[in-house]
Amino acid sequence: MLQRIWRDCDWTIIICTLLLVAMGVVAIGSATHINQTGLHFSTLVAKQLIFFLINVALVIGIQFMDYHKLKDWANGIYIVTIMLLLAVIFVGTSALGAQRWIQLGPITLQPSEFSKLLMIICMAKMLESRYNKLDTFKSLVVPILYVGVPILLVFMQPDLGTSLVYIAIFVGMLFVSGIRLRLVRIIATVGVLLMPLAWFVLKDYQKQRILVFMNPDIDPFGSGYHIIQSKIAIGSGLIFGKGIFNGTQSQLNFLPENHTDFIFSVIGEEFGFVGCIIVLFLLFMLIYRSIKVAYMCNDNFGMLLATGIATMFTFEVLVNVGMTIGIMPVTGIPLPFLSYGVSALTTNMLSIGILLNIAMQRTKYIF
């Protein structure tokens, strides 16, 4: 069994993941570095490494199961997802103006992060039975309601960024499920026409983020501060960067949330254009191989699973990198495998485990 796993694993996915996590650990270490105490591993770096090793064990364990079993557990997974999101509302802890976390002793978990992968599993099961049958508005009612409940619960936290990730994943999976393009055009048109009404649903700080996205200079020391400092950090890195622990914006704490949402800004400042290109290339290869796994899969459930994971990675990379260079509004979406976060790292690593399992099972079915 171990021999077959070793032989049939997608090593491109594994190598890209390991390199991204390694670069993330270095960037987190630099972002949380304190000059006065010299070089050291911060507590956050230690946590990231510990949970990475735990997740490596989980990824290896996933290879000994058949991903088709997830289909049998999908209904239970959906109930657990809803319960986790409800728990955040009633017993969650607050930070930075939002209630998104559950405190379990020394560990802070963000259920909305885990729920992305859990919902991919549930949506894959739900859409498999509707493959090539999404040709009327009536056929879309159940899928929209099914996904709409967790989206609403996440939006209430409030967590607009993760809500958008849900929507992006759902749209990506609908496309490969064979939805009629006529329905897509009608829904897109209606969505664009109704978009101005969404303004009245947003919180004040969310409205401010959109205004600042269009013009950061309207509030340079408030809501626009993040974008301005991020662009300064990335631009100042030039070609080869200032070197690890030498980034002025990150080391002197001008750059907020530099170990989480704005980790790409740290990489841009300290490793320059070259470092950014390496990170983007590794992310591109990871997404490309995810799409390849979906394309080569021999069953609809596996194809939908891989598509959902590929869509999740793609959307998170586009939004996170986009906000650091000022072409996307600031949201709390982490950069996969690079941003600090136990919940995000676990979700991404388990996603990799499922992708590797699909790739391995595909080889078994073909031969």
Side-chain angles (χ1 to χ4, degrees):
M1 181 64 177
L2 285 172
Q3 260 187 340
R4 192 172 74 83
I5 292 174
W6 181 270
R7 184 187 69 243
D8 296 336
C9 262
D10 191 318
W11 286 101
T12 302
I13 291 177
I14 293 174
I15 292 170
C16 288
T17 301
L18 292 175
L19 290 175
L20 285 169
V21 172
M23 294 186 73
V25 167
V26 172
I28 293 167
S30 180
T32 56
H33 171 67
I34 303 175
N35 289 322
Q36 287 83 357
T37 60
L39 302 181
H40 70 289
F41 281 115
S42 70
T43 303
L44 298 184
V45 170
K47 280 186 179 180
Q48 192 82 342
L49 283 171
I50 290 169
F51 278 92
F52 169 69
L53 294 175
I54 292 172
N55 280 298
V56 167
L58 292 176
V59 168
I60 294 172
I62 288 173
Q63 306 318 303
F64 289 90
M65 63 171 279
D66 185 343
Y67 70 88
H68 292 90
K69 292 184 182 295
L70 296 172
K71 192 193 315 184
D72 301 328
W73 305 336
N75 292 335
I77 289 173
Y78 185 80
I79 293 172
V80 170
T81 302
I82 299 301
M83 290 176 63
L84 283 172
L85 295 177
L86 284 172
V88 173
I89 295 174
F90 292 107
V91 298
T93 57
S94 301
L96 301 175
Q99 187 165 311
R100 304 175 187 171
W101 298 270
I102 293 177
Q103 192 70 38
L104 297 176
I107 302 173
T108 303
L109 300 179
Q110 188 175 354
S112 60
E113 279 293 331
F114 295 115
S115 66
K116 289 186 290 191
L117 178 58
L118 298 178
M119 282 306 301
I120 287 173
I121 296 170
C122 297
M123 284 188 278
K125 195 265 177 100
M126 183 263 298
L127 291 173
E128 182 192 26
S129 61
R130 293 168 171 80
Y131 191 79
N132 280 334
K133 297 178 183 177
L134 301 172
D135 51 4
T136 64
F137 284 108
K138 184 178 179 180
S139 66
L140 290 174
V141 172
V142 172
I144 290 174
L145 291 176
Y146 188 83
V147 179
V149 173
I151 289 176
L152 179 62
L153 292 175
V154 172
F155 184 78
M156 289 170 59
Q157 293 181 7
D159 190 350
L160 177 61
T162 304
S163 301
L164 293 176
V165 176
Y166 270 68
I167 294 172
I169 293 170
F170 183 51
V171 170
M173 295 176 75
L174 280 179
F175 265 104
V176 299
S177 297
I179 187 173
R180 291 281 295 274
L181 291 180
R182 178 179 60 85
L183 295 180
V184 175
R185 287 194 292 267
I186 294 172
I187 293 172
T189 303
V190 173
V192 171
L193 293 175
L194 294 178
M195 196 172 291
L197 297 178
W199 181 261
F200 301 101
V201 181
L202 298 176
K203 303 285 186 182
D204 289 339
Y205 78 91
Q206 292 170 335
K207 294 178 181 178
Q208 186 67 13
R209 284 181 176 180
I210 294 175
L211 293 173
V212 165
F213 159 65
M214 293 186 286
N215 181 15
D217 292 326
I218 63 173
D219 190 12
F221 299 106
S223 301
Y225 184 79
H226 294 67
I227 298 177
I228 292 172
Q229 295 301 320
S230 176
K231 290 197 288 187
I232 291 173
I234 294 175
S236 65
L238 299 177
I239 302 297
F240 298 106
K242 299 176 180 177
I244 188 170
F245 304 116
N246 292 322
T248 53
Q249 302 303 114
S250 54
Q251 296 300 314
L252 299 177
N253 291 324
F254 287 106
L255 184 64
E257 307 301 328
N258 57 358
H259 63 294
T260 53
D261 298 346
F262 288 89
I263 196 72
F264 189 75
S265 307
V266 176
I267 293 170
E269 183 179 31
E270 300 193 349
F271 300 98
F273 178 77
V274 172
C276 290
I277 289 298
I278 291 172
V279 166
L280 293 175
F281 174 75
L282 292 172
L283 289 167
F284 168 79
M285 288 302 300
L286 183 61
I287 293 168
Y288 168 75
R289 293 304 302 178
S290 302
I291 295 171
K292 190 77 171 179
V293 169
Y295 178 75
M296 297 295 292
C297 192
N298 293 313
D299 69 283
N300 292 335
F301 179 69
M303 180 264 293
L304 287 165
L305 268 179
T307 298
I309 292 170
T311 305
M312 177 179 71
F313 287 156
T314 302
F315 187 79
E316 290 180 341
V317 170
L318 289 176
V319 173
N320 183 278
V321 174
M323 76 178 186
T324 62
I325 59 177
I327 62 173
M328 288 282 188
V330 174
T331 59
I333 296 177
L335 188 58
F337 303 103
L338 291 136
S339 294
Y340 170 78
V342 170
S343 301
L345 179 64
T346 301
T347 299
N348 292 328
M349 289 294 293
L350 293 178
S351 299
I352 291 298
I354 292 173
L355 277 176
L356 292 174
N357 189 265
I358 295 171
M360 185 179 68
Q361 295 291 330
R362 177 197 70 211
T363 303
K364 181 179 76 172
Y365 292 146
I366 291 175
F367 296 103

